Amino acid sequence: QSALTQPASVSGSPGQSITISCTGTSSDVGGYNYVSWYQQHPGKAPKLMIYEVSNRPSGVPDRFSGSKSGNTASLTISGLQAEDEADYYCSSYTSSSVVFGGGTKLTVL
Amino acid sequence: QLQLQESGPGLVKPSETLSLTCTVSGGSISSSSYYWGWIRQPPGKGLEWIGSIYYSGSTYYNPSLKSRVTISVDTSKNQFSLKLSSVTAADTAVYYCARHHWNDDPGAFDIWGQGTMVTVSS
């Protein structure tokens, strides 16, 4: 299995919106509504932000939203805040296995 | 509040076996529908799922690591463990244990341990 493809970095100014893509295949992202997104600050464990493509766990701000079209899933963060600066990872189910994306570094300018 | 804590040697010699344990507190590892998984992250790199186990002993493994990985569970101690054999420097990473629902969204790990750094070096 190959890692899902994410852009290495994205950036945005406070208050703006950004979108991070996660591209897979019909065997993973495109084949199931099982895409999750994680936020990871330096030296910390990842935090689940989105599951099942677009669902937010309790406590995650509604500024975070997820979607999927074909083999590409997306995480959108609106109203960007300084504390959103972190690494973001997507994951997907595939054939009795789990695969992660390579990660995207979000910089808040 | 459920908490997970990894423990084990921080240094392992090449060709030897890496062994880690995850202790679950604040809840039972035998809770129905939850699986317990291991994920690792090499320094400066991304996340890699290693494998997961149900309290009954049912397991799923990453195909790329399957030949070297064994995950087991001890419900009496509320713990699950990872063994990775024939390690090399490429296995140097922070190892996390985490909880997820395999039958809902298998990739959605909602509770994580703090992680433990394991270095493979002679």
Side-chain angles (χ1 to χ4, degrees):
Chain A
Q1 61 190 29
S2 300
L4 306 175
T5 300
Q6 298 182 232
S9 63
V10 298
S11 62
S13 299
Q16 289 186 330
S17 294
I18 63 95
T19 296
I20 300 172
S21 62
C22 171
T23 301
T25 69
S26 58
S27 296
D28 39 60
V29 174
Y32 311 91
N33 287 324
Y34 291 151
V35 176
S36 297
W37 289 92
Y38 297 87
Q39 176 190 67
Q40 186 180 35
H41 288 110
K44 300 295 187 182
K47 175 185 177 182
L48 181 66
M49 305 301 283
I50 297 286
Y51 66 98
E52 293 177 351
V53 177
S54 60
N55 294 322
R56 282 186 308 277
S58 174
V60 173
D62 59 7
R63 302 187 294 105
F64 293 82
S65 62
S67 62
K68 189 184 82 166
S69 177
N71 297 335
T72 298
S74 299
L75 172 71
T76 298
I77 308 174
S78 59
L80 210 55
Q81 298 181 3
E83 58 261 37
D84 298 333
E85 183 163 296
D87 293 326
Y88 290 83
Y89 294 90
C90 61
S91 73
S92 176
Y93 171 76
T94 172
S95 303
S96 298
S97 186
V98 174
V99 62
F100 284 95
T104 298
K105 181 175 181 57
L106 168 62
T107 300
V108 180
L109 302 171
Chain B
Q1 181 180 357
L2 192 79
Q3 293 184 319
L4 284 67
Q5 178 68 58
E6 306 88 351
S7 59
L11 181 63
V12 181
K13 290 182 169 55
S15 81
E16 295 190 344
T17 296
L18 178 160
S19 296
L20 295 175
T21 295
C22 182
T23 300
V24 179
S25 60
S28 173
I29 200 170
S30 302
S31 296
S32 62
S33 79
Y34 287 115
Y35 272 70
W36 307 89
W38 289 97
I39 301 102
R40 69 180 183 179
Q41 184 172 35
K45 296 187 178 181
L47 301 168
E48 180 180 36
W49 173 71
I50 300 170
S52 297
I53 191 166
Y54 194 52
Y55 76 91
S56 64
S58 173
T59 54
Y60 292 97
Y61 294 132
N62 184 326
S64 66
L65 298 169
K66 187 174 183 177
S67 64
R68 299 194 292 130
V69 173
T70 301
I71 297 176
S72 59
V73 63
D74 186 337
T75 55
S76 67
K77 294 182 179 179
N78 231 29
Q79 296 176 333
F80 62 106
S81 299
L82 167 70
K83 290 189 184 299
L84 180 65
S85 64
S86 304
V87 298
T88 69
D91 295 310
T92 293
V94 175
Y95 285 77
Y96 295 100
C97 58
R99 183 187 81 167
H100 63 143
H101 281 278
W102 187 270
N103 293 326
D104 291 337
D105 183 344
F109 297 88
D110 61 348
I111 299 178
W112 293 65
Q114 65 184 27
T116 187
M117 180 68 198
V118 179
T119 301
V120 178
S121 175
S122 57

